[in-house]
Amino acid sequence: KNEVEQSPQNLTAQEGEFITINCSYSVGISALHWLQQHPGGGIVSLFMLSSGKKKHGRLIATINIQEKHSSLHITASHPRDSAVYICAVCNNNNDMRFGAGTRLTVKP
Amino acid sequence: DGGITQSPKYLFRKEGQNVTLSCEQNLNHDAMYWYRQDPGQGLRLIYYSQIVNDFQKGDIAEGYSVSREKKESFPLTVTSAQKNPTAFYLCASSIDRGIGEQFFGPGTRLTVL
């Protein structure tokens, strides 16, 4: 079983819809990261969380340490949000463990 | 502009040849990493380096080698011993291992024919 599980694997939405991507992990962590991978392959960091909630523009990330679960929300989705979103955790050995990613397609 | 560069973007090699992928960073980061990405799987760690002249094997180091002679540079060699080398390779760096976010390069897509 993977240490980091994401759902759904694929997600298609209409422009303007509210989107939620989920991440569950099974190990102790020091931090959780949400990453965005563009079609060309480049990866950018969206959030680093160790507790609570963070917001950046239309993106919101939450984490529940007790339940070992995090969510990434996108409000008022737009076609330019189409990308692969990756959840990653830094475990207690300082190793990063990555989920397989959620491929999001937002249609105009 | 600070960042990480990888070259080339696309690389083709014949089976049995060694190939070296370049990774350079000007972020003054101590830690650097090489990951491999395959379809439908999460990134997997090949090697990491916490400081110049030191590096450690990751989860899938077999068939790969690295060097860290300069802080800015962490090249990865894919040797002929790697059984399935065709993949997307990503280099990353961070201030220190396990601290802060990792910054990723644009990646190199290696195809072995």
Side-chain angles (χ1 to χ4, degrees), chain A residues 40-83:
Chain A
I43 293 178
V44 296
S45 177
L46 298 175
F47 294 103
M48 184 173 71
L49 293 164
S50 54
S51 64
K53 175 180 174 179
K54 286 191 175 180
K55 184 176 189 289
H56 184 246
R58 295 181 294 107
L59 302 177
I60 303 166
T62 64
I63 187 169
N64 185 318
I65 297 293
Q66 287 73 29
E67 294 187 2
K68 294 186 175 178
H69 181 269
S70 175
S71 293
L72 176 68
H73 306 285
I74 305 176
T75 62
S77 59
H78 190 276
R80 64 175 175 266
D81 297 325
S82 298

Side-chain angles (χ1 to χ4, degrees), chain B residues 16-84:
Chain B
Q17 289 182 333
N18 291 355
V19 60
T20 297
L21 280 58
S22 166
C23 177
E24 304 278 333
Q25 56 100 358
N26 61 4
L27 299 166
N28 200 33
H29 286 170
D30 282 320
M32 296 187 74
Y33 315 83
W34 274 105
Y35 296 99
R36 171 181 171 138
Q37 188 177 37
D38 294 285
Q41 296 188 41
L43 276 68
R44 292 182 290 167
L45 181 65
I46 304 172
Y47 268 97
Y48 68 90
S49 168
Q50 291 185 256
I51 200 167
V52 174
N53 292 322
D54 180 71
F55 48 83
Q56 303 296 327
K57 293 182 179 180
D59 300 314
I60 55 166
E62 186 175 349
Y64 300 97
S65 66
V66 293
S67 63
R68 187 88 186 275
E69 296 176 2
K70 298 186 299 181
K71 188 174 186 176
E72 303 79 19
S73 180
F74 191 41
L76 173 75
T77 297
V78 185
T79 76
S80 56
Q82 167 51 233
K83 299 301 180 193
N84 186 20

Side-chain angles (χ1 to χ4, degrees), chain A residues 26-40:
Chain A
S26 57
V27 294
I29 69 169
S30 58
L32 182 142
H33 300 254
W34 280 103
L35 311 171
Q36 182 190 53
Q37 186 169 29
H38 298 288

Side-chain angles (χ1 to χ4, degrees), chain A residues 33 35 37 40-43 45 48 90 93-100, chain B residues 9 35 37 40-43 59 88 90 97-98 100-102 104-106:
Chain A
H33 300 254
L35 311 171
Q37 186 169 29
I43 293 178
S45 177
M48 184 173 71
C90 185
N93 292 326
N94 288 334
D95 293 323
M96 289 283 278
R97 295 290 185 236
F98 296 82
Chain B
K9 179 70 173 174
Y35 296 99
Q37 188 177 37
Q41 296 188 41
L43 276 68
D59 300 314
F88 189 58
L90 285 154
R97 182 165 172 256
E101 61 182 285
Q102 290 188 13
F104 288 84

